[in-house]
């Protein structure tokens, strides 16, 4: 298709550096295991991403280390430095790239969060963003001496109140330097002036109808899991309709699904590299851990290249209490469904786990991947990508050196930053609350 035949022929792609907690990197490539906590590693990643004109760095967060069978998970990265502390350091060694932190409304005090996030926004010259998340399980709550599961509706009601308080504090410091007391925040005073972008850019990642509506009312970016083309296009259309119903322009939100990009001089080389990476990161231990999470006990003696265990899981129900997120809380039902799938397709345990964890990734030559991404962004299916590096700290080198020029040649990627703030570089309007206040 010619560019002019698309719904958005002039659209530009945004890249964001994304760092999940799972075993998403080739550990053997790291000189030391503490490279994931070392500032020099983060500095190299951030500066490489900025050289490649990435819009943001985005970090996920966990309020408690994940466990497996009663022990700290031993096959993945389970923690990282405090995001805002790390971003305050990275702001000093970068100039334009945005810094988006995942901060939890369930277990953070809004007055403290508003001050810490606004501090990074001011110190970085207006480059901070907030990924607004909630937490529902008592396992995490125990870390805050709060225990008890938080219902879905209650979480979003609390998130609305939390966000309203934070934004009151951000708006309470006027441009002339005067401050207004924020009564909704227990009579707190704003303690940090606004940055050049007014307030941090708001992101959200909820997939439920409540989460999508929350994003339509408040968010300026949304992190999506939809990257199969038709599903991505459907999700984007749904979000744009929700934006209009919320009284906002349909282009008021940037959609970022997560993915990985593997490049090669030829298609065959790229596929070989992707296969090598998959085999290196999906170790026997990691494959077993997926099945053990459902069966509820150690399967060290069970061959991963054989069938699933013949016996049933040892527990009838399972919660998210240990950070397990892939069992739908119904081990017996999950085990039965997995057995049926494995038998129908003749899959070993390893093959089944790989099948269940297949994701949409972009694998090919720089030219081929650039063409595919041009199709996505010009069709309106995505606005950007949360790009997971294959290694730390050199995981973005190939993308910056080979893919970015190909994207620029197709006119779908910037050749220079548009401004100095994250809001400018994402092409966003003033914050939603500022526009509402001006009406």
């Amino acid at each position: 298709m010619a560019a002019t035949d698309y719904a958005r022929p002039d659209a530009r792609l945004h890249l964001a550096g994304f760092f999940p907690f799972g075993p998403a990197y080739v550990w053997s490539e790291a000189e030391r295991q503490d490279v994931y906590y070392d500032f020099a590693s983060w500095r190299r990643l951030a500066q490489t991403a900025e050289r490649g004109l990435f819009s943001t760095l985005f970090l996920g967060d966990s309020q408690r280390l994940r466990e497996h069978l009663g022990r700290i998970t031993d096959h993945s990265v389970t923690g990282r430095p405090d995001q805002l502390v790390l971003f305050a350091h990275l702001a000093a060694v970068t100039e334009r790239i945005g810094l988006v932190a995942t901060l939890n409304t369930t277990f953070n005090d809004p007055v403290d969060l508003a001050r810490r996030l606004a501090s990074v926004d001011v110190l970085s010259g207006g480059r901070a963003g907030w990924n607004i998340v909630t937490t529902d399980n008592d396992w995490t709550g125990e870390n805050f001496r709060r225990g008890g599961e938080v219902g879905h509706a209650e979480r979003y009601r609390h998130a609305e109140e939390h966000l309203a308080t934070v934004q009151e504090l951000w708006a309470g410091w006027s441009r002339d330097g005067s401050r207004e007391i924020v009564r909704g925040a227990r009579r707190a005073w704003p303690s940090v002036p606004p940055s050049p972008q007014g307030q941090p850019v708001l992101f959200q990642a909820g997939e439920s109808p409540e989460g999508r509506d929350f994003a339509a009312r408040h968010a300026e970016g949304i992190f999506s899991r939809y990257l199969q083309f038709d599903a991505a296009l459907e999700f984007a259309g749904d979000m744009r309709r929700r934006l209009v119903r919320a009284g906002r322009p349909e282009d008021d939100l940037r959609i970022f699904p997560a993915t990985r990009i593997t490049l090669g001089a030829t298609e065959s080389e790229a596929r070989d590299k992707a296969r090598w990476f998959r085999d290196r990161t999906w170790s026997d231990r990691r494959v077993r851990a997926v099945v053990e999470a459902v069966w509820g006990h150690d399967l060290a003696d069970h061959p991963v290249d054989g069938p699933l265990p013949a016996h049933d899981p040892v527990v009838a129900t399972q919660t998210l209490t240990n950070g397990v997120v892939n069992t739908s809380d119904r081990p017996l039902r999950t085990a039965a469904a997995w057995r049926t799938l494995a038998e129908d397709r003749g899959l070993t345990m390893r093959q089944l786990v790989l099948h269940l964890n297949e994701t949409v990734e972009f694998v090919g030559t720089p030219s081929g991947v650039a063409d595919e991404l041009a199709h996505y962004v010009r069709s309106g299916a995505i606005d950007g990508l949360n790009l997971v590096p294959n290694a730390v700290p050199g995981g973005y080198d190939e993308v910056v050196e080979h893919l970015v020029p190909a994207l620029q040649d197709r006119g779908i990627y910037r050749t220079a930053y548009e401004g100095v703030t994250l809001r400018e570089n994402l092409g966003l309007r003033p914050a939603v609350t500022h526009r509402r206040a001006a009406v």
Side-chain angles (χ1 to χ4, degrees), residues 50-63:
E50 187 168 67
R51 179 164 54 87
L53 304 175
F54 282 32
S55 297
T56 74
L57 294 180
F58 161 49
L59 301 187
D61 191 27
S62 179
Q63 298 292 307

Side-chain angles (χ1 to χ4, degrees), residues 30 140 149 167 242:
T140 299
E149 184 176 340
Q167 291 187 309
R242 290 175 192 262

Side-chain angles (χ1 to χ4, degrees), residues 110-162:
V111 178
D112 178 58
L113 184 149
R115 179 173 182 266
R116 293 170 62 225
L117 187 52
S119 295
V120 172
D121 200 30
V122 169
L123 292 173
S124 66
R127 293 189 281 138
W130 174 18
N131 178 32
I132 305 167
V133 298
T134 66
T135 297
D136 65 349
N137 63 75
D138 53 2
W139 172 74
T140 299
E142 290 174 353
N143 246 18
F144 297 85
R145 299 183 180 179
R146 294 186 189 176
E149 184 176 340
V150 182
H152 195 77
E154 176 65 15
R155 279 190 290 135
Y156 275 102
R157 184 194 64 78
H158 181 267
E160 293 271 3
E161 295 176 355
H162 190 288

